[in-house]
Amino acid sequence: MNIILIGAPGAGKGTYAKFIKEKYGFPHISTGDLLREEVAKESELGVEARKYMSEGKLVPDDLVIRVLKSRIGLPDCKNGFLLDGFPRNVLQARELEKFLDVSVVLSLVVPKEVILDRLSGRRTCRNCKAIFHVRNIPPKKEGVCDKCGGELYQRDDEKPEVIENRLKIYEEQTKPLLDYYSKKGLLYEIDAKYPISEVDKILSQIDAVLEEKSREEKAKKLIWR
Ligand code: AP5
């Protein structure tokens, strides 16, 4: 099954992608993480991507498609995967269709004021990429990852003016994808506004969609046998 997670910056894509990965075993592929790895390595692609990421702009399509293709060419992706942060515009969606079938698109719906709170307090592990929040999901020890002991840091693109720009770009370029996938019958909306104390209300919606889709895929395979 090939799953796409769509949502505004801070909607919780990375957080719930980890849940899906643990429960269903699909590799989690975040184009944001792939690009940040290139930036950290100071590769040619990373140096170019950084110029856009630090301002909250989308990285040019050809660069993102290049990092994505090399990642999904790895053997762990052959039975499906979870895409977080791709596609980000209709051109990327069309490009994706040239090399794979999308099974389902989960759209995380969260009001803007909740998003701003989530982004302003996020901390990410430099080592294992685990995600925390200074108030909502605090680590046991400040600045230290509970899972691997790595250093927690605040991303470069979490400055207020950059966040505003990322939200604007989401509205202008990524939101049209909701209509695009809805017309194809692939879109499922997940009401993801709940606080972490009520996270089961979010996870149960995701579970319900993925269970239904797995049943459908199994039934299709039986018909084709
Ligand atoms: P990317 O890394 O994809 O960032 P994003 O889409 O802006 O999303 P975020 O990672 O900021 O948020 P998220 O939805 O994963 O939320 P999270 O789970 O962390 O992209 C970064 C940049 O790379 C882009 O700006 C662009 O430049 C470039 N890029 C990437 N892909 C590209 C593409 N396809 N094309 C072109 N350019 C591309 O949660 C947020 C916080 O909320 C966390 O602290 C979390 O702990 C907390 N939280 C989560 N759920 C809850 C809850 N229920 N209650 C309370 N707190 C919660």
Side-chain angles (χ1 to χ4, degrees):
M1 182 153 50
N2 298 319
I3 307 161
I4 291 178
L5 261 181
I6 292 189
K13 300 182 293 296
T15 303
Y16 308 120
K18 289 192 173 63
F19 159 79
I20 297 171
K21 180 183 172 186
E22 274 161 28
K23 173 145 191 199
Y24 293 89
F26 295 112
H28 166 208
I29 297 169
S30 151
T31 43
D33 284 348
L34 293 175
L35 291 167
R36 280 185 287 277
E37 276 164 26
E38 294 296 323
V39 171
K41 281 193 282 188
E42 296 184 8
S43 68
E44 202 180 316
L45 191 149
V47 171
E48 184 62 17
R50 181 181 210 144
K51 296 181 204 157
Y52 299 87
M53 295 171 80
S54 62
E55 290 180 22
K57 293 180 182 159
L58 292 186
V59 170
D61 297 323
D62 58 326
L63 297 188
V64 188
I65 290 165
R66 213 189 315 156
V67 284
L68 177 70
K69 277 189 171 169
S70 62
R71 175 62 186 88
I72 61 180
L74 297 181
D76 64 331
C77 290
K78 73 174 190 314
N79 293 324
F81 48 83
L82 168 65
L83 273 183
D84 153 8
F86 191 96
R88 282 285 228 278
N89 56 35
V90 173
L91 188 144
Q92 292 183 6
R94 294 209 172 104
E95 202 53 40
L96 189 65
E97 278 160 21
K98 291 183 190 163
F99 57 95
L100 70 89
D101 288 329
V102 175
S103 316
V104 59
V105 178
L106 301 172
S107 160
L108 300 178
V109 183
V110 183
K112 187 174 173 185
E113 61 279 11
V114 177
I115 281 179
L116 292 176
D117 172 64
R118 287 185 185 176
L119 282 179
S120 63
R122 176 170 55 192
R123 295 293 180 274
T124 308
C125 175
R126 247 185 231 290
N127 180 41
C128 74
K129 315 277 187 302
I131 301 164
F132 297 85
H133 188 282
V134 287
R135 289 178 306 281
N136 306 334
I137 313 170
K140 290 191 187 96
K141 190 172 170 206
E142 196 187 322
V144 180
C145 175
D146 291 351
K147 295 185 178 135
C148 73
E151 181 204 352
L152 300 184
Y153 79 110
Q154 192 166 22
R155 279 171 29 184
D156 286 348
D157 59 0
E158 283 167 338
K159 294 184 206 124
E161 64 280 14
V162 180
I163 290 176
E164 273 304 326
N165 202 24
R166 286 162 61 203
L167 289 170
K168 187 166 163 269
I169 286 174
Y170 173 78
E171 288 293 322
E172 289 170 2
Q173 300 196 39
T174 309
K175 249 190 165 173
L177 281 176
L178 303 184
D179 195 36
Y180 180 84
Y181 284 122
S182 170
K183 285 186 179 139
K184 290 177 182 283
L186 292 170
L187 189 79
Y188 291 79
E189 286 200 343
I190 307 293
D191 180 0
K193 65 174 178 292
Y194 301 102
I196 212 69
S197 55
E198 296 173 40
V199 74
D200 281 351
K201 289 186 182 164
I202 304 171
L203 302 182
S204 59
Q205 296 172 65
I206 295 176
D207 249 344
V209 176
L210 294 185
E211 294 287 344
E212 182 193 323
K213 283 282 147 189
S214 329
R215 278 195 299 274
E216 277 175 27
E217 296 232 330
K218 275 185 201 143
K220 261 192 232 160
K221 275 188 196 149
L222 284 176
I223 291 168
W224 286 106
R225 259 192 202 160

